[in-house]
Amino acid sequence: FSSMATEVAPSDSMGIPKTDFVEAVDEFMKKPENESSEAVIRRFDELHNKYKFMEYNLNTKKTRLKAQIPDIRTSLDIVKHLQSKKDCTDPMESRFLLSDHLFAKATIPPTDKVCLWLGANVMLEYTLDDAADLLDKNLSAAVKSLVQTDDDLGFLRDQMTTLEVNMARVYNWDVKRRQAEKTTKS
């Protein structure tokens, strides 16, 4: 990336390469690694495609987290409700989702244990306190990850804008150079 006036960004931006603004295009194009404007624009375009790929992945992660956070909150609320009913001797009635728009009625006896889906078809039994702690930890990690993903997306958009401006500046520099060559030949 160094040949494209980039450097690795601080570690808080997920290793997204930082694009420096090309202020003096003449001096930038005199660097040995910039043999032609076409080659520079090609390298910039490759980096732009990498940025687009990173943006797609970050948006996918953001969408997943936005769906995951309400599920974790719901599970945590259910565990807290079970904790509040733990000392009660009467069974609790509930309706739970079987599939979209299909609910089943259940009678739940007082309990101090709950089973949580961990993913990959794995379910573990936890005490109510351990389940609440785990869900609290997962919720805070998911919210933190969502904030970091938003920050990374903002940083990435800034880098893409800078890169697009650099591409336009190099292209315009090349157009002016070619026009100057034409006028000197005439």
Side-chain angles (χ1 to χ4, degrees), residues 72-73 75-77 79-80 83 116 128-144:
I72 295 171
R73 280 196 175 115
S75 296
L76 185 58
D77 289 344
V79 168
K80 286 181 179 178
Q83 282 177 319
L116 296 177
L128 292 175
D129 294 334
D130 289 344
D133 290 343
L134 177 68
L135 290 169
D136 270 331
K137 187 181 82 171
N138 288 354
L139 180 61
S140 64
V143 168
K144 183 179 176 184

Side-chain angles (χ1 to χ4, degrees), residues 72 74-84 86 92 94 108-118 122-136:
I72 295 171
T74 301
S75 296
L76 185 58
D77 289 344
I78 291 169
V79 168
K80 286 181 179 178
H81 183 72
L82 287 173
Q83 282 177 319
S84 71
K86 177 169 62 172
M92 179 175 46
S94 178
I108 304 168
T111 183
D112 63 342
K113 299 206 185 276
V114 67
C115 294
L116 296 177
W117 282 108
L118 299 180
V122 175
M123 180 185 273
L124 285 179
E125 183 178 71
Y126 290 93
T127 65
L128 292 175
D129 294 334
D130 289 344
D133 290 343
L134 177 68
L135 290 169
D136 270 331

Side-chain angles (χ1 to χ4, degrees), residues 23-162:
E23 189 113 16
V25 180
D26 286 325
E27 289 178 27
F28 177 74
M29 292 305 293
K30 288 178 185 173
K31 291 182 180 180
E33 66 267 13
N34 300 332
E35 67 272 356
S36 71
S37 59
E38 291 85 12
V40 171
I41 291 173
R42 195 174 320 113
R43 287 196 317 260
F44 281 173
D45 192 48
E46 285 176 20
L47 182 58
H48 191 264
N49 287 335
K50 289 177 186 177
Y51 282 158
K52 284 289 195 188
F53 180 71
M54 289 179 202
E55 181 183 40
Y56 171 77
N57 286 331
L58 287 171
N59 279 324
T60 301
K61 181 179 180 180
K62 182 178 178 177
T63 302
R64 181 181 49 82
L65 286 168
K66 280 186 157 187
Q68 190 179 40
I69 289 172
D71 290 343
I72 295 171
R73 280 196 175 115
T74 301
S75 296
L76 185 58
D77 289 344
I78 291 169
V79 168
K80 286 181 179 178
H81 183 72
L82 287 173
Q83 282 177 319
S84 71
K85 298 289 185 176
K86 177 169 62 172
D87 297 328
C88 193
T89 56
D90 297 331
M92 179 175 46
E93 271 197 18
S94 178
R95 287 176 177 60
F96 61 95
L97 187 66
L98 286 176
S99 67
D100 290 341
H101 309 293
L102 181 62
F103 290 85
K105 188 175 178 182
T107 303
I108 304 168
T111 183
D112 63 342
K113 299 206 185 276
V114 67
C115 294
L116 296 177
W117 282 108
L118 299 180
N121 293 328
V122 175
M123 180 185 273
L124 285 179
E125 183 178 71
Y126 290 93
T127 65
L128 292 175
D129 294 334
D130 289 344
D133 290 343
L134 177 68
L135 290 169
D136 270 331
K137 187 181 82 171
N138 288 354
L139 180 61
S140 64
V143 168
K144 183 179 176 184
S145 183
L146 181 61
V147 168
Q148 181 64 46
T149 301
D150 278 336
D151 290 346
D152 289 343
L153 276 167
F155 179 79
L156 185 60
R157 286 186 189 112
D158 290 346
Q159 301 316 301
M160 289 173 69
T161 301
T162 303

